[in-house]
Amino acid sequence: MKISDIFQTKKTVFSLEVFPPKKTSKIDTIYDTIERLSDLNPDFISVTYGAGGTGGTGTGSLTAKIASDLKNTYHIEPLAHLTAIHTTRAQATAILTELRESGIENVLALRGDLHPELPIPGDFRYASDLTRFISEFGGFDICGACYPEGHPESDDLISDVTNMRPKIEAGATHLISQLFFDNNDFYAFLDRAKLAGIRVPIEAGIMPVINKAQIERMVSTCGASLPRKFAHMVSRYENNPEALFDAGIAYAVDQIIDLIASGVDGIHLYTMNNPRVAHIIYTRIRKVLEASNQT
């Protein structure tokens, strides 16, 4: 089923994200995670394309395999990630062919992170280039990424939103946001997107923060700002792991309930392959989510 059709039938879509295991981990670990996440009945699960968005040897095939198993074994709609700058046309063709043969209908087209030590093949410079290629390849519903606080490389918030238009024009039917910790940033982004003529569904990406190392890593890689309420929480409980875990869960739940009450198109939960956290959050938002989809 194409994800754009799910947005047509549900007021608030609920989805999850998982990532393939690292080379040092057994592949079975991801299936243990998926098995436990399947109890949440998500509308879809996205599968990332490797650490840092670079992929690497065999990463595309691993993503495709996990996506295929989601679809054909667990009967959950998958969204397979594919990155632009480190993927050649030949590689993209091979991966898309493998996805199509497995019955996968949904792809998230990303630019990917720049890495000085890795060469850029040059076939796709932007996510919109890859989106257009996938659209021309045919048979896929295409998702794009968006940044409520602006892409770290953008000049300003207005040009950042304007730069999203080529993705839509190239064939993206919906967007998933980068994580954020202040809902007001997301609402302001939605206003800018509307003014820019962007009318596709936009899911809010939420990542529950449950330990100090996770916070430091996220801020350094994605550039998300930390609102005062969040910073106070971290400062107060950073040396108390159990308290920070509970506080981080509560913060994410508060964000999600506010977003649903405000009519957000969907919630995309970055699980970090932690089904326990996903279960706790889903239990606390389930009634609100169900009520939203009944109205």
Side-chain angles (χ1 to χ4, degrees):
M1 183 178 187
K2 293 186 176 180
I3 292 173
S4 59
D5 293 333
I6 299 176
F7 281 106
Q8 296 296 319
T9 59
K10 300 190 73 170
K11 185 174 181 180
T12 309
V13 169
F14 177 69
S15 58
L16 308 172
E17 177 177 289
V18 299
F19 54 83
K22 298 178 180 179
K23 293 180 180 180
T24 55
S25 302
K26 295 181 180 180
I27 192 172
D28 290 347
T29 60
I30 190 62
Y31 294 111
D32 291 340
T33 297
I34 291 172
E35 186 76 37
R36 294 172 64 188
L37 291 176
S38 64
D39 295 341
L40 306 184
N41 297 314
D43 292 303
F44 67 89
I45 294 180
S46 72
V47 186
T48 70
Y49 194 65
T54 63
T57 303
T59 304
S61 292
L62 182 56
T63 297
K65 173 173 171 44
I66 295 170
S68 176
D69 290 334
L70 274 168
K71 175 87 172 184
N72 300 303
T73 301
Y74 296 95
H75 307 294
I76 298 172
E77 203 60 50
L79 173 65
H81 291 213
L82 185 58
T83 59
I85 59 174
H86 298 294
T87 305
T88 64
R89 288 178 178 269
Q91 290 171 329
T93 298
I95 293 169
L96 292 172
T97 299
E98 184 176 1
L99 291 172
R100 177 188 284 173
E101 290 174 349
S102 298
I104 310 303
E105 298 180 90
N106 302 287
V107 175
L108 173 55
L110 301 164
R111 187 197 70 174
D113 296 330
L114 295 171
H115 288 263
E117 68 276 14
L118 294 176
I120 299 175
D123 290 342
F124 307 110
R125 184 176 181 184
Y126 301 111
S128 56
D129 298 328
L130 178 59
T131 300
R132 186 172 296 103
F133 179 84
I134 298 171
S135 181
E136 292 172 352
F137 187 89
F140 292 98
D141 200 47
I142 309 168
C143 180
C146 59
Y147 301 82
E149 298 179 71
H151 191 281
E153 298 172 27
S154 63
D155 294 329
D156 54 66
L157 295 178
I158 300 301
S159 62
D160 179 74
V161 172
T162 302
N163 289 335
M164 289 196 313
R165 291 185 59 87
K167 295 181 184 181
I168 310 302
E169 293 166 356
T173 63
H174 49 104
L175 302 171
I176 295 176
S177 87
Q178 175 63 278
L179 62 92
F180 57 92
F181 298 111
D182 189 336
N183 285 4
N184 289 326
D185 289 332
F186 184 76
Y187 299 140
F189 165 74
L190 292 182
D191 289 340
R192 294 194 300 273
K194 185 176 181 179
L195 288 172
I198 294 172
R199 298 288 187 265
V200 299
I202 300 176
E203 269 198 288
I206 298 296
M207 180 179 287
V209 175
I210 56 174
N211 60 66
K212 183 179 178 181
Q214 185 185 13
I215 297 165
E216 295 171 345
R217 183 171 60 252
M218 286 189 306
V219 173
S220 64
T221 56
C222 75
S225 61
L226 304 182
R228 180 179 297 180
K229 178 181 177 181
F230 185 90
H232 283 175
M233 177 191 77
V234 174
S235 176
R236 184 175 182 86
Y237 303 118
E238 62 182 348
N239 296 316
N240 186 331
E242 292 182 353
L244 182 57
F245 181 93
D246 286 348
I249 294 289
Y251 193 95
V253 169
D254 284 348
Q255 273 194 278
I256 293 170
I257 290 176
D258 178 72
L259 288 162
I260 295 174
S262 299
V264 70
D265 293 317
I267 299 295
H268 189 67
L269 187 65
Y270 295 107
T271 71
M272 300 301 291
N273 287 12
N274 190 326
R276 179 191 172 205
V277 170
H279 269 267
I280 294 173
I281 289 176
Y282 181 74
T283 298
R284 296 184 185 179
I285 69 168
R286 181 172 63 89
K287 293 297 184 180
V288 175
L289 191 61
E290 289 175 351
S292 173
N293 285 313
Q294 290 171 356
T295 57

